[in-house]
Amino acid sequence: MRAMGLEAGESSSFLSLSSAFSYGVASMAMVFVNKAVIMQYVHSMTLLTLQQLATALFIHFGQVLGMSKRKDLSIATAKKLLPVSIFYNANVAFALASLKGVNIPMYIAIKRLTPLAVLVSGFLRGKGKPSTQVSLSVVCTALGVLVAALGDFSFDLYGYSMALISVFFQTMYLILVEKSGADDGLSSMELMFYNSILSIPFLFFIIVATGEFPHSLSVLSEKTASASFSVILLISLVMGIVLNYTMFWCTIVNSALTTTIVGVLKGVGSTTLGFVVLGGVKVHALNVTGLVINTFGGVWYSYAKYTQKKKLPRRVAPDEESHPHK
């Protein structure tokens, strides 16, 4: 019995590590892929609509071909997941909009404010005051963003505003995903499918109402004449599916907190690459200093939460910090 328990524990640990690592790699790659597409094709909402359509079709045909299984669609479940879909699309839409005016290192730095938003949200929901180390690390991260912004040659108020709004929606989205997956016993694939199906009508309404459609499709048709753009667009659509899956997977298997920490840690590599990839960034001492402070704060936060979680006694009942995968 003990051996079986050890095997189950090792399997669970491997699953947790695999989901976290997969999300980290997919998330880091997606930032650069989306930036590459947005640099050539500014219609971000149409891009998001295409990514959701590709996800829905992929899952549907996967089921038809017997490659994947999912429960039949439920109206009650769809109603419950509607807020998840709204927050998801708002997060990605504002993130894509911010990439039009914000360089990748600064984008990553601003998105590192998500832990601050998660902590504030937890405090408002009565989860209590965070530890001193967690509080200081979050302050360090926020301070780094302010210092880096002062030295940002390409400062763009619109881009910064879009990124900050994205942080808020990402926080709400992660909390809702974790709760939905735990309460309803939905798999990552099922959450993805519901999210895509609920998103498409909402996104289509937006691109029509804003006048982006159908002009965006004619521009897309012209752009796809270029083989290089077509390849980048295809990678973007595939990575949209991969990122969605790994984010749901990591959040359900681990927690919203773990997904946030992974997002912070992968930003270290993204920030470094962002200085030289896709046109690079004009370097200023103040900007670099701020990014270093921000990165240090992010790593410190991750370490503080990891050590804090290890000290907690194991509980059978699921909660928002840690729960088993159903």
Side-chain angles (χ1 to χ4, degrees):
M1 288 293 290
R2 186 177 180 182
M4 289 177 65
L6 287 172
E7 286 181 15
E10 289 175 2
S11 176
S12 177
S13 297
F14 177 75
L15 194 64
S16 297
L17 184 62
S18 299
S19 62
F21 179 77
S22 299
Y23 169 65
V25 172
S27 182
M28 184 166 69
M30 194 62 179
V31 173
F32 290 95
V33 171
N34 276 338
K35 180 70 173 179
V37 175
I38 292 298
M39 287 173 69
Q40 300 182 59
Y41 183 71
V42 297
H43 303 291
S44 57
M45 292 304 295
T46 300
L47 175 63
L48 177 55
T49 306
L50 291 173
Q51 287 175 345
Q52 291 289 21
L53 184 61
T55 300
L57 291 174
F58 173 79
I59 296 173
H60 174 70
F61 284 113
Q63 184 187 23
V64 170
L65 297 173
M67 296 170 62
S68 64
K69 294 181 180 179
R70 62 175 174 81
K71 300 172 186 174
D72 293 333
L73 287 174
S74 163
I75 299 299
T77 303
K79 286 180 179 179
K80 190 180 292 187
L81 291 176
L82 184 59
V84 174
S85 180
I86 291 173
F87 282 121
Y88 168 83
N89 286 290
N91 166 39
V92 179
F94 281 105
L96 287 172
S98 72
L99 283 171
K100 295 177 185 178
V102 177
N103 60 61
I104 288 178
M106 280 309 305
Y107 169 80
I108 297 296
I110 295 170
K111 293 293 278 184
R112 282 200 191 105
L113 293 176
T114 302
L116 173 61
V118 169
L119 287 180
V120 171
S121 173
F123 180 76
L124 293 176
R125 288 180 291 123
K127 290 189 67 177
K129 185 181 177 182
S131 68
T132 303
Q133 277 211 60
V134 169
S135 299
L136 289 175
S137 64
V138 167
V139 170
C140 181
T141 304
L143 179 64
V145 173
L146 292 175
V147 174
L150 292 174
D152 185 7
F153 282 119
S154 59
F155 180 84
D156 183 285
L157 181 60
Y158 172 80
Y160 272 63
S161 300
M162 294 298 100
L164 287 170
I165 295 172
S166 173
V167 166
F168 166 76
F169 284 117
Q170 182 179 11
T171 301
M172 298 305 298
Y173 163 72
L174 287 174
I175 291 170
L176 287 173
V177 165
E178 181 181 0
K179 190 174 185 301
S180 298
D183 291 349
D184 301 325
L186 295 172
S187 68
S188 305
M189 198 69 73
E190 287 165 342
L191 277 171
M192 275 177 67
F193 191 67
Y194 273 105
N195 186 49
S196 298
I197 293 298
L198 292 170
S199 298
I200 292 170
F202 171 70
L203 291 172
F204 187 71
F205 171 78
I206 289 178
I207 61 176
V208 171
T210 57
E212 188 171 309
F213 180 87
H215 175 66
S216 57
L217 285 187
S218 61
V219 174
L220 184 64
S221 179
E222 294 174 8
K223 291 285 185 181
T224 50
S226 165
S228 60
F229 176 80
S230 296
V231 170
I232 295 173
L233 179 63
L234 181 61
I235 293 173
S236 173
L237 297 178
V238 172
M239 283 305 301
I241 297 171
V242 174
L243 178 61
N244 282 347
Y245 178 78
T246 55
M247 183 186 287
F248 283 124
W249 185 28
C250 181
T251 306
I252 294 174
V253 171
N254 300 295
S255 67
L257 174 64
T258 301
T259 304
T260 301
I261 291 174
V262 172
V264 169
L265 293 178
K266 62 88 183 175
V268 177
S270 299
T271 301
T272 305
L273 288 173
F275 276 105
V276 294
V277 176
L278 300 176
V281 178
K282 291 182 180 179
V283 179
H284 186 284
L286 203 57
N287 186 241
V288 174
T289 301
L291 289 172
V292 170
I293 294 172
N294 176 268
T295 302
F296 174 75
V299 174
W300 184 10
Y301 169 83
S302 301
Y303 174 76
K305 293 302 292 185
Y306 174 74
T307 53
Q308 183 185 61
K309 191 174 181 181
K310 285 199 75 173
K311 291 178 183 177
L312 292 174
R314 292 185 64 86
R315 282 179 284 185
V316 176
D319 61 20
E320 192 168 285
E321 290 288 312
S322 174
H323 58 72
H325 178 47
K326 294 187 178 181

